Amino acid sequence: MAQPVLFTPVRVRNLELENRIVIAPMCQYSAEDGCMTDWHLIHLGQLALSGAALLTIEATGVTPDGRITYADVGLYDDATERAMARVIEGIRKWSDMPISVQLAHAGRKASTDKPWFGGGQIAPDHPNGWQTVAPSAIPFNPKYVAPAALDKEGLKRIRDAFAASAVRAARIGLDAIQIHAAHGYLLHEFLSPLSNQRSDEYGGSLENRARFPLEVFEAVRQAFPSDRAVTVRVSATDWMDHGLNVEETVAFAKMLEEKGCDAIHVSSGGLHIEQKIALGPSYQVPLARAVKAAVKMPVVAVGLITEPAQAEAIVATGDADIIAIARAVLYDPRWPWHAAAELGAQVKPAPQYLRCQPSQFRTLFKS
């Protein structure tokens, strides 16, 4: 049987990924004052034994007010750096899987409660709440307290914070950084004309709306070691009339590639409460396909990719180079093993698990 494309290597700058399966960042809302806890060691530790090629740490605030909730992870001071370093050290004792971190600022979608408590905005004058910021003073939800429009000093503060977090990420040995420019958070807010109604050089044309995200990318790229990868996650469409669309995202992807971006992760939505998304298996793959047709850097597809044959078809047909899984791997933390078994490929488990190889898949495990 021919080797499935899903289980062939792919290179992203310095990283030689052993297969095409990466684990997308997933918020856990279990940090304390921005610091990772034992939950993160347990959660990320099990995923580091999954057989995927890369593990990405959840959206990590570059400032305290850049966190989505008060229980989100940060990497903005010595305490948050020490906490993350402890988790990374614990994982690396038992797994050699490369680890990335998604650096983020939540913009106008910050200062919210945990999802299982409703996820609504917490007002600035309430415990665990703060004043949000955005390109323009337009709230995500009309019921929310409006964000403060960022001035030049605010833009510099956040840009410098991204760079400072990149330095911390390098210091604790992270292999790559993903910059979060998707799902309605700050950098996506700059890209979308629905949330960015500025009249200065950061608003108006796509070139202007892309200016701040590109400045952040350049700051991170300069701050992170040149031999390590910096990638970007985008929302290719707002799923709204007059919002960010695929054509603009393709143009933005080209801008990123010119700046040295190593890969682009193509998601969608999250910016507007009235978005209309036709959900279904692989519903975002056409967006990845459009971006891949325009760039040379690796493209990552995500979104309701749950079946091994489905994932194989995405990479085998060239719609994307890599697939990212999130909820599917929470449900099944050995999803890559099961995909390899179904497709006739091999994975390398931790030696402690070698004895669990099923009798019907006698060549599944590499010893």
Side-chain angles (χ1 to χ4, degrees):
M1 183 185 297
Q3 172 81 334
V5 176
L6 192 63
F7 286 91
T8 58
V10 62
R11 191 168 187 83
V12 181
R13 203 179 189 92
N14 61 308
L15 293 175
E16 185 72 26
L17 302 182
E18 63 182 28
N19 59 54
R20 308 298 183 97
I21 305 166
V22 301
I23 296 176
M26 293 172 280
C27 290
Q28 297 298 294
Y29 312 102
S30 300
E32 297 174 356
D33 296 323
C35 293
M36 282 186 159
T37 62
D38 286 346
W39 173 261
H40 298 93
L41 182 59
I42 295 167
H43 164 69
L44 295 170
Q46 66 168 336
L47 297 182
L49 300 173
S50 66
L54 176 72
L55 172 62
T56 308
I57 295 169
E58 66 189 78
T60 297
V62 298
T63 62
D65 67 344
R67 295 172 297 161
I68 304 167
T69 78
Y70 57 90
D72 278 25
V73 171
L75 187 58
Y76 46 71
D77 60 15
D78 291 347
T80 55
E81 181 182 338
R82 283 194 302 269
M84 187 173 289
R86 169 182 170 269
V87 170
I88 299 304
E89 181 183 4
I91 294 170
R92 288 216 162 116
K93 286 179 181 177
W94 306 105
S95 171
D96 61 2
M97 183 185 291
I99 303 174
S100 177
V101 62
Q102 185 187 65
L103 296 183
H105 192 294
R108 68 182 189 174
K109 292 180 74 176
S111 188
T112 61
D113 212 337
K114 298 179 183 181
W116 50 87
F117 294 143
Q121 186 189 58
I122 299 176
D125 57 349
H126 285 63
N128 296 324
W130 57 85
Q131 176 62 52
T132 61
V133 297
S136 304
I138 305 169
F140 172 67
N141 185 317
K143 299 178 182 178
Y144 287 0
V145 174
L150 285 161
D151 58 15
K152 298 294 177 60
E153 183 178 339
L155 294 178
K156 181 181 185 302
R157 175 180 65 85
I158 292 171
R159 184 171 59 243
D160 290 350
F162 269 94
S165 293
V167 171
R168 294 182 185 277
R171 194 155 55 213
I172 62 178
L174 287 165
D175 299 287
I177 285 173
Q178 180 185 97
I179 296 171
H180 199 356
H183 300 164
Y185 300 120
L186 184 66
L187 299 185
H188 182 187
E189 291 164 19
F190 271 90
L191 288 166
S192 174
L194 297 177
S195 48
N196 181 351
Q197 297 183 10
R198 299 172 72 100
S199 58
D200 63 3
E201 67 269 35
Y202 292 98
S205 67
L206 176 63
E207 181 182 17
N208 283 357
R209 285 182 275 122
R211 190 181 307 276
F212 185 63
L214 291 173
E215 288 178 356
V216 167
F217 176 85
E218 289 181 296
V220 170
R221 179 66 279 174
Q222 184 174 356
F224 202 54
S226 61
D227 63 337
R228 301 189 213 176
V230 177
T231 71
V232 177
R233 190 177 202 182
V234 296
S235 276
T237 174
D238 290 336
W239 300 104
M240 291 286 296
D241 291 340
H242 312 298
L244 186 70
N245 57 42
V246 180
E247 292 74 23
E248 288 189 324
T249 298
V250 167
F252 178 57
K254 291 179 180 179
M255 297 176 198
L256 286 170
E257 189 166 55
E258 290 176 2
K259 299 288 185 182
C261 186
D262 293 302
I264 187 164
H265 182 136
V266 183
S267 188
S268 70
L271 184 109
H272 202 284
I273 60 172
E274 295 178 6
Q275 64 184 11
K276 301 290 192 299
I277 304 177
L279 291 174
S282 299
Y283 74 102
Q284 294 178 145
V285 171
L287 307 173
R289 182 191 308 133
V291 174
K292 182 165 170 54
V295 299
K296 295 179 181 178
M297 62 181 162
V299 173
V300 185
V302 67
L304 289 181
I305 301 171
T306 59
E307 303 302 321
Q310 173 194 13
E312 171 67 10
I314 291 166
V315 293
T317 59
D319 284 344
D321 301 286
I322 298 166
I323 66 106
I325 51 176
R327 291 172 176 85
V329 82
L330 290 185
Y331 184 73
D332 177 6
R334 297 289 181 269
W335 191 95
W337 287 16
H338 301 148
E342 182 174 318
L343 298 172
Q346 288 187 304
V347 290
K348 185 177 180 180
Q352 294 92 332
Y353 291 164
L354 282 169
R355 288 183 296 170
C356 78
Q357 178 173 262
S359 59
Q360 69 268 37
F361 302 118
R362 294 188 181 277
T363 61
L364 174 61
F365 286 168
K366 302 175 188 176
S367 58

